[in-house]
Amino acid sequence: EAQVTQNPRYLITVTGKKLTVTCSQNMNHEYMSWYRQDPGLGLRQIYYSMNVEVTDKGDVPEGYKVSRKEKRNFPLILESPSPNQTSLYFCASSSSPGQSYEQYFGPGTRLTVT
Amino acid sequence: TQLLEQSPQFLSIQEGENLTVYCNSSSVFSSLQWYRQEPGEGPVLLVTVVTGGEVKKLKRLTFQFGDARKDSSLHITAAQPGDTGLYLCAGADDTGGFKTIFGAGTRLFVKA
């Protein structure tokens, strides 16, 4: 089954404790992206990757890191989480069908930073 | 900074009514997608529009991309309770990258 998986689905942590949210896709997609979703703000892009070892900032990259060492994986790293990073996070992947950029989303990771 | 303004933010209607959701921007997009999101799940793609003026139909849903590729609309005919959900529009950056801008969403509730 074609899918994007994220782990963990729920995470409660404390300020400053480094964490990683994993994302994996089995569709051989070149493009991957991380978003955060907050009430009233929709989804905001954090980082995206257009291929292995190619990453770029989205609209809200501060406080986050990513890496793309393999095509299927795109982990999101919070080196020193803060309460304002409490949010619902989604990973997405896309093939490169010209201009369409249709994205397939994972189930989400709900992060609470206390 | 590119922005996509989506309206209305919330819509509560009776079964059988028609509705239109709008997505507007001052920026040009290479394509625009509409997604639907259920509680506790990720957004699911409904349609992509690419060409200015393009109209696509998906059963009772009609999607239109503006001629200048700056705006889009979603029209639902004879809404049903199963249409309840959060509808999101998303624009793909026109500069060749993978930057994507989402609207804030329209939460639709269709009462039986």
Side-chain angles (χ1 to χ4, degrees):
Chain A
E1 180 190 353
Q3 60 182 354
V4 178
T5 56
Q6 293 178 229
N7 282 292
R9 292 290 311 277
Y10 302 90
L11 180 59
I12 301 174
T13 189
V14 296
T15 299
K17 186 176 181 182
K18 181 179 178 180
L19 66 93
T20 299
V21 183
T22 64
C23 173
S24 183
Q25 51 95 2
N26 63 1
M27 295 169 279
N28 202 36
H29 284 168
E30 291 181 359
Y31 293 73
M32 297 187 75
S33 188
W34 275 103
Y35 296 88
R36 61 178 289 174
Q37 186 174 31
D38 302 289
L41 296 177
L43 281 86
R44 293 179 292 168
Q45 194 173 38
I46 303 170
Y47 270 95
Y48 62 91
S49 170
M50 295 172 72
N51 214 327
V52 175
E53 302 293 0
V54 180
T55 63
D56 209 344
K57 296 177 181 179
D59 280 334
V60 289
E62 294 78 21
Y64 304 95
K65 284 176 57 177
V66 293
S67 68
R68 187 91 182 274
K69 292 183 170 52
E70 307 166 280
K71 198 172 186 179
R72 64 182 293 130
N73 296 323
F74 190 43
L76 178 69
I77 303 157
L78 284 72
E79 295 270 5
S80 183
S82 62
N84 64 13
Q85 292 179 297
T86 291
S87 188
L88 179 58
Y89 290 86
F90 288 100
C91 179
S93 73
S94 176
S95 58
S96 54
Q99 300 171 317
S100 296
Y101 294 139
E102 300 170 357
Q103 298 185 67
Y104 298 85
F105 284 81
T109 295
R110 186 166 292 281
L111 171 66
T112 301
V113 183
T114 60
Chain B
T1 302
Q2 291 179 303
L3 287 173
L4 262 178
E5 295 184 355
Q6 198 171 334
S7 63
Q9 287 187 321
F10 182 80
L11 199 51
S12 179
I13 61 173
Q14 289 291 140
E15 181 177 5
E17 292 183 9
N18 301 331
L19 68 114
T20 302
V21 178
Y22 299 94
C23 196
N24 296 300
S25 177
S26 58
S27 304
V28 176
F29 294 101
S30 63
S31 67
L32 197 139
Q33 292 80 42
W34 285 92
Y35 294 85
R36 180 177 155 184
Q37 185 179 18
E38 302 286 353
E41 299 179 7
V44 175
L45 180 72
L46 295 174
V47 79
T48 296
V49 285
V50 179
T51 305
E54 183 176 4
V55 177
K56 281 191 174 179
K57 293 194 175 185
L58 187 66
K59 297 183 181 178
R60 293 176 293 100
L61 279 61
T62 302
F63 305 85
Q64 186 162 6
F65 202 12
D67 291 341
R69 292 186 288 131
K70 293 182 179 181
D71 54 86
S72 181
S73 63
L74 157 61
H75 182 79
I76 301 179
T77 303
Q80 299 176 0
D83 296 326
T84 293
L86 180 66
Y87 290 82
L88 297 158
C89 62
D93 185 84
D94 197 37
T95 61
F98 191 41
K99 281 195 99 169
T100 306
I101 306 295
F102 273 81
T106 294
R107 189 163 296 282
L108 172 65
F109 182 64
V110 182
K111 294 175 280 188

